[in-house]
Amino acid sequence: MYKILVKQQLAPSVQLFEVEAPLIAKKAKPGQFVILRVNDQGERIPLTIADFNREKGSVTLIFQEVGASTVELGRLQQGEFLLDLVGPLGKPTHIEKFGTVVCVGGGIGIAPVYPIARGLKEAGNEVISIIGARSEDILIYEEEMAAVSDELIITTDDGSKGIKALVTQPLKELLDSDKTISLVVAIGPVIMMKFVAETTRPYGVPTVVSLNPIMVDGTGMCGGCRVSVGQENKFACVDGPEFDAHKVDFESLMARQRMYKPHEKQHSEYIAGKREEGCKCHSH
Amino acid sequence: MSLSLNKNPMPEQEPKVRAKNFAEVSLGYTEELAKAEAARCLQCKAAPCRKGCPVQVDIPAFIKEVKEGNMDVAIAKIKEVNSLPAVCGRVCPQEEQCEKYCVLAKRGEAVGIGRLERYVADTARNKGESIAAIDYAPDAQKVAVIGSGPAGLAVAGDLAKKGYKVTIFEALHLPGGVLMYGIPEFRLPKDEVVQVEINNLRKLGVEIVVNAVIGSTFTVDELMEEEGFDAVFIGTGAGLPYFMGVPGENLNGVYSANEFLTRCNLMKAYRFPECGTPIHVGKKVAVVGGGNVAMDGARTALRLGADRSYIVYRRSEAELPARLEEIHHAKEEGIDFQFLTAPTAVIGNKDGWVTGLQCVRMELGEPDASGRRRPIEIPNSEFVLEVDTVIIAIGQGPNPLVQSTTKGLDTNKKGNIAAHEETGVTSKPGVFAGGDIVTGAATVILAMGAGKKAAAAIDSYLQDKKAK
């Protein structure tokens, strides 16, 4: 059992959990992920590690309540426990001194970009970060990103904060500027990562994306997270989660993300029904 | 009373009924049937059956006790060497092992050794076994076991009984390995059988740490240098699924058998949405492959509601590697076997979902390296099997995680750990390995056999180490 030391609402339906997990905290590196279960009936939920504190023995997880399983996760309170937590899984981000790097985070993807930006900054890189969200109220980790970036650019779809643009617009401007960009790291919705890849491709700037496809075990056993990278099938859980963005088949990845859409609706309805039943019992 | 040439039949659920539920197919012998079957045993002095058993259970001795109704003695006889009899009684390929050598098999059917083993184990379990915790010496040496599948459980059981403090590390959230994620509930009940047998090991004092990925959470070197383990056994199994390498394998609706079975068995997707893990089945399912895993996949698909469940196998029925009993059960349940058929592509629609499996018909040519006749494509025989789901059950390789993170541990060119067949000794001092991670995908009992041999070798290694 893994205790939730801190629970914090970062934005509507976006939660932060700091979880007691000394063994994972001891080993965690930027770019890696964990898998957790809320209860005995629960799915195995993969989440990229947003931060870790070796002294305190904790890892920070940030998630958006999008389906029944993450909604259930979000109902856990500070002081309560996760049933299962395993990790760190996957390969860490390759960090070295590249020169000037651009870290792009979209929506909930800003959270896993943060430890990578910090790692790159600590390694002596000039870090320019671009973080984007639909609107200001769901923009997370602005201060944290500012603290580890030499320059922070904010974009929102509706212009409520920063530039009214997609993350690719300031990225393209950077690529067109006199700066030599040595690396772009992008984490966010698959469609965003795809457009980041298309933006950097003509410039030949190495671009890394972190993928979070559907997976079960997270140790290379099921192959559910397979993704086509340069015509070759890779398992995101053990070969990734980070890959060369210019080689990823994003179309196939997006199709695979839709595999359980009907199931998600059914599961949400079931959980909602169960909760209603529970409420009725309590009202007596 | 004349000796029956036939085994007493196993009571089973009706095929039509069981193909729609996840309850166990075989119901187990009654006391009457068990005694009658035990009476068929000739109690041969030479006991040829024992040489077919990878762990050398004293078969005539336990059967004699069954015949005489001494069930406590019978279970004790089995457990001397086999700590998981309820599992082995259900999933061992007895027809290729103990029963193959039974004298009766020369004239009729062998004694139902597996069925009797299962009966003895189930009877003991239902009665409630009292297992005394081992009194460990204060300076007992510590052994780490990586992987809680059949090999790891066998090592742990044997070493605990010898007084070693054993800790099993399991990457998943429940122990049991393939017994939990691979073999379906309807062949091997999880809560009633597997977890009970594993809990018996816990009662002996074996510690089981779940959610621990060795190679990440800890490395083997850390276990030995920092965590104080005197020896390590690696039994991480054959966990890496192979795909066919044909076009369309990443379409929605294509599963590795590992994923399909893990979703259903470990994650209990058959109870979705009560259990949160979903599974896609559709109306028609094709399972590619001919082994036990393929049979499990096809039969699971039926139970999840498929109208049609095909086995697509490139050789003929005679070459099917699955156990006869599994093939027989699959046929009874209405699995549609497409023999001499090889997939060439998975066909999908514009939304990325499977609509069919493109195949060619094959014929058998000259024997190949495996001694089986090589399948050869028949020209212009291409056709499409209309299906919604494709499950690929063509085998598994070794998961590289432990090997790639352990200094000085040699592997062969397939990526399996190089270990001595009789002892499990690897290239790294104090590190032993056995089961599928060494041999490639095989059976539960062979992995247990390897575990037992490794346990003996670890015992003598640790005695030597202590003496120094």
Side-chain angles (χ1 to χ4, degrees), chain A residues 30-98:
Chain A
Q32 292 186 296
F33 67 101
V34 293
I35 288 185
L36 63 85
R37 284 205 317 155
V38 176
N39 56 39
D40 205 30
Q41 284 82 43
E43 280 189 89
R44 291 173 66 90
I45 305 172
L47 288 175
T48 312
I49 298 170
D51 205 353
F52 46 86
N53 185 327
R54 301 201 209 283
E55 289 74 45
K56 203 172 165 190
S58 66
V59 293
T60 300
L61 307 172
I62 292 175
F63 60 95
Q64 191 162 18
E65 296 172 15
V66 281
S69 294
T70 41
V71 168
E72 286 226 284
L73 177 63
R75 288 169 63 87
L76 291 178
Q77 299 302 319
Q78 194 162 305
E80 292 188 314
F81 295 84
L82 301 176
L83 177 61
D84 295 296
L85 184 66
V86 61
L89 301 168
K91 290 187 173 153
T93 309
H94 174 69
I95 287 178
E96 61 170 69
K97 188 170 176 183
F98 296 99

Side-chain angles (χ1 to χ4, degrees), chain A residues 205-227:
Chain A
V205 174
T207 303
V208 169
V209 288
S210 175
L211 308 182
N212 189 5
I214 291 165
M215 60 175 70
V216 185
D217 64 293
T219 63
M221 194 189 80
C222 83
C225 65
R226 64 195 183 276
V227 46

Side-chain angles (χ1 to χ4, degrees), chain B residues 58-292:
Chain B
D58 191 344
I59 293 163
F62 97 76
I63 290 181
K64 180 166 173 277
E65 302 302 337
V66 174
K67 186 179 158 191
E68 290 168 8
N70 304 323
M71 299 306 294
D72 292 346
V73 187
I75 189 70
K77 280 275 171 215
I78 298 175
K79 287 216 165 174
E80 277 170 12
V81 289
N82 183 350
S83 46
L84 305 172
V87 173
C88 293
R90 286 172 166 82
V91 303
C92 270
Q94 288 100 5
E95 66 279 5
E96 290 167 22
Q97 299 177 341
C98 50
E99 294 180 16
K100 183 178 174 180
Y101 298 97
C102 177
V103 171
L104 293 187
K106 286 178 189 151
R107 287 191 298 154
E109 286 184 335
V111 174
I113 299 169
R115 294 171 183 183
L116 288 170
E117 181 182 33
R118 170 187 161 146
Y119 173 75
V120 172
D122 288 357
T123 305
R125 195 179 62 253
N126 293 337
K127 207 176 122 193
E129 286 172 272
S130 65
I131 288 162
I134 288 165
D135 198 7
Y136 294 99
D139 64 340
Q141 288 161 294
K142 285 171 66 184
V143 181
V145 172
I146 305 170
S148 62
L153 294 174
V155 170
D158 278 17
L159 289 178
K161 285 176 199 160
K162 288 196 165 92
Y164 296 103
K165 296 210 79 166
V166 180
T167 305
I168 303 179
F169 294 94
E170 167 57 48
L172 292 169
H173 56 266
L174 285 172
V178 74
L179 308 176
M180 286 304 288
Y181 74 74
I183 301 175
E185 178 78 15
F186 58 83
R187 284 215 285 136
L188 183 64
K190 307 297 161 224
D191 293 344
E192 297 82 34
V193 177
V194 180
Q195 290 305 318
V196 172
E197 299 230 355
I198 291 171
N199 272 330
N200 287 344
L201 283 179
R202 285 199 180 96
K203 287 180 193 164
L204 285 178
V206 172
E207 193 189 347
I208 302 178
V209 180
V210 295
N211 296 323
V213 181
I214 303 304
S216 175
T217 318
F218 297 103
T219 63
V220 169
D221 292 289
E222 284 166 346
L223 290 176
M224 300 181 83
E225 287 157 22
E226 294 169 24
E227 303 296 322
F229 287 98
D230 299 286
V232 174
F233 174 81
I234 304 169
T236 45
L240 193 77
Y242 290 144
F243 287 87
M244 297 182 287
V246 302
E249 264 185 313
N250 289 0
L251 288 164
N252 284 349
V254 183
Y255 285 106
S256 73
N258 269 6
E259 181 181 3
F260 189 76
L261 292 171
T262 299
R263 282 180 180 271
C264 196
N265 301 329
L266 178 74
M267 304 310 296
K268 302 200 182 322
Y270 64 92
R271 280 166 53 192
F272 182 87
E274 182 199 349
C275 290
T277 303
I279 197 162
H280 166 81
V281 189
K283 295 282 173 216
K284 293 181 181 177
V285 177
V287 182
V288 181
N292 290 326

Side-chain angles (χ1 to χ4, degrees), chain B residues 221-406:
Chain B
D221 292 289
E222 284 166 346
L223 290 176
M224 300 181 83
E225 287 157 22
E226 294 169 24
E227 303 296 322
F229 287 98
D230 299 286
V232 174
F233 174 81
I234 304 169
T236 45
L240 193 77
Y242 290 144
F243 287 87
M244 297 182 287
V246 302
E249 264 185 313
N250 289 0
L251 288 164
N252 284 349
V254 183
Y255 285 106
S256 73
N258 269 6
E259 181 181 3
F260 189 76
L261 292 171
T262 299
R263 282 180 180 271
C264 196
N265 301 329
L266 178 74
M267 304 310 296
K268 302 200 182 322
Y270 64 92
R271 280 166 53 192
F272 182 87
E274 182 199 349
C275 290
T277 303
I279 197 162
H280 166 81
V281 189
K283 295 282 173 216
K284 293 181 181 177
V285 177
V287 182
V288 181
N292 290 326
V293 175
M295 302 301 138
D296 286 345
R299 296 172 68 197
T300 296
L302 269 192
R303 284 159 171 80
L304 288 169
D307 295 335
R308 201 77 179 263
S309 184
Y310 299 100
I311 290 274
V312 176
Y313 182 55
R314 64 196 184 114
R315 301 180 198 253
S316 76
E317 182 165 3
E319 287 84 19
L320 275 176
R323 285 186 64 194
L324 285 177
E325 182 180 305
E326 304 309 324
I327 299 165
H328 170 70
H329 278 155
K331 282 186 174 170
E332 277 188 337
E333 289 167 15
I335 302 295
D336 185 333
F337 286 82
Q338 297 285 316
F339 293 116
L340 293 164
T341 304
T344 50
V346 185
I347 313 285
N349 62 21
K350 64 174 173 32
D351 298 323
W353 285 85
V354 171
T355 56
L357 185 64
Q358 182 180 293
C359 302
V360 287
R361 297 291 187 194
M362 313 291 278
E363 59 191 351
L364 293 180
E366 295 301 308
D368 63 13
S370 72
R372 297 176 299 180
R373 293 175 64 194
R374 184 194 303 274
I376 301 165
E377 186 181 329
I378 300 173
N380 306 316
S381 64
E382 209 159 77
F383 70 103
V384 174
L385 204 57
E386 279 180 31
V387 291
D388 310 297
T389 300
V390 174
I391 299 167
I392 302 162
I394 56 170
Q396 299 95 241
N399 188 314
L401 196 55
V402 172
Q403 299 88 298
S404 64
T405 54
T406 307

